[in-house]
Amino acid sequence: MVGNLLLRGMLAGLIAGILVFAFARVFGEPLVDAAISFEEASAQAAGEAAEPEIVSRATQAGIGLFTGVMAYSIAVGGLFSLAFAFVHGRFSSLSARGTSAVIAIAAFVAVVLVPGIKYPANPPAVGNPDTIGVRTELFFLMIVVSLAALIAAVALSRRLSERFGLWNGAIVAGSAYLVFIGLVLFLLPPINEVPENFSAMVLWRFRTTSLGMHAILWAVLGLAFGVLAEKRLAAKGGTRPAFQ
């Protein structure tokens, strides 16, 4: 059963990847071109030599973008299906579609929205090459902390629900998650390496487009996988998937 769900998760990731690629190609790549033009103009004004183009922009914006998006989406779809197989039927009586939707929303918040508040996506020309290692470490640390806090909040909600009811337990656990995340956001060091003369409009549109790409990915995963998983579970008599 888990193997069948894994294949369906990868299929849902494939569907999501196609839509994400189309969105990124239409709305994201023009912003990347604008940022690269700014970077080249700044280098020329400073008398710096242009960096050699190892991979052409056409390749980057075409097959390169498609390959990266599809590989990421399919991989995330597979991980999504494993999370579903572990959660479904163990923590609630939600249907397959309901469980899939809840996992997608929770993952979007914990993996994308919360880390993006502290360390949002940046286009080319924004950021210091000397600090890329530190910025990457802080970003992934934020993801790990957010996921761990979410899991702890779910466990806390289950315990509180036994005593105070499902709704009250969820409110208290959700509030605890928000307070903890707020503290983490406050304590982690900020990073602001945006050049003073960089277009605020390009920066804003790039970040919202990046958020839109992730929103499409998780929305399609939550909806498409829910449908695929429900059909598979129905064929098996509605039994709960289990790891062997």
Side-chain angles (χ1 to χ4, degrees), residues 10 15 27 33 36 45 105 123 143 157-158 200 210 224-225 239:
M10 296 174 69
I15 297 171
F27 297 101
D33 289 335
I36 291 176
I105 294 172
I143 293 178
S157 175
R158 292 190 67 197
S210 176
F225 179 79
T239 56

Side-chain angles (χ1 to χ4, degrees), residues 11-219:
L11 176 59
L14 176 67
I15 297 171
I18 294 174
L19 296 177
V20 172
F21 167 74
F23 182 84
R25 188 70 179 86
V26 173
F27 297 101
E29 285 305 316
L31 301 174
V32 174
D33 289 335
I36 291 176
S37 297
F38 172 85
E39 188 175 34
E40 292 175 345
S42 298
Q44 185 177 9
E48 300 175 355
E51 295 184 3
E53 189 178 59
I54 300 176
V55 180
S56 68
R57 266 302 288 149
T59 301
Q60 294 176 25
I63 188 63
L65 176 64
F66 180 80
T67 302
V69 168
M70 295 305 297
Y72 178 79
S73 300
I74 293 173
V76 171
L79 293 174
F80 184 90
S81 67
L82 296 179
F84 174 90
F86 179 77
V87 170
H88 182 58
R90 286 185 170 90
F91 301 101
S92 72
S93 58
L94 289 174
S95 66
R97 292 191 186 190
T99 301
S100 180
V102 169
I103 294 175
I105 294 172
F108 176 75
V109 171
V111 178
V112 179
L113 193 58
V114 169
I117 292 174
K118 184 67 178 182
Y119 303 115
N122 286 325
V126 174
N128 185 346
D130 296 332
T131 64
I132 187 171
V134 174
R135 287 185 280 120
T136 302
E137 291 173 359
L138 288 173
F139 180 75
F140 280 103
L141 174 62
M142 190 69 239
I143 293 178
V144 171
V145 170
S146 180
L147 278 174
L150 179 63
I151 294 172
V154 172
L156 177 62
S157 175
R158 292 190 67 197
R159 296 191 61 180
L160 293 177
S161 297
E162 297 174 357
R163 183 175 180 181
F164 302 106
L166 180 61
W167 182 246
N168 292 330
I171 291 177
V172 174
S175 299
Y177 173 80
L178 292 176
V179 170
F180 176 76
I181 288 299
L183 181 62
V184 172
L185 293 176
F186 176 77
L187 293 176
L188 286 179
I191 296 178
N192 181 16
E193 298 178 342
V194 181
E196 293 183 359
N197 56 339
F198 190 84
S199 171
M201 181 60 68
V202 171
L203 181 62
W204 168 255
R205 290 177 58 193
F206 182 88
R207 288 176 173 176
T208 54
T209 300
S210 176
L211 187 63
M213 291 168 58
H214 286 286
I216 292 172
L217 171 64
W218 290 105

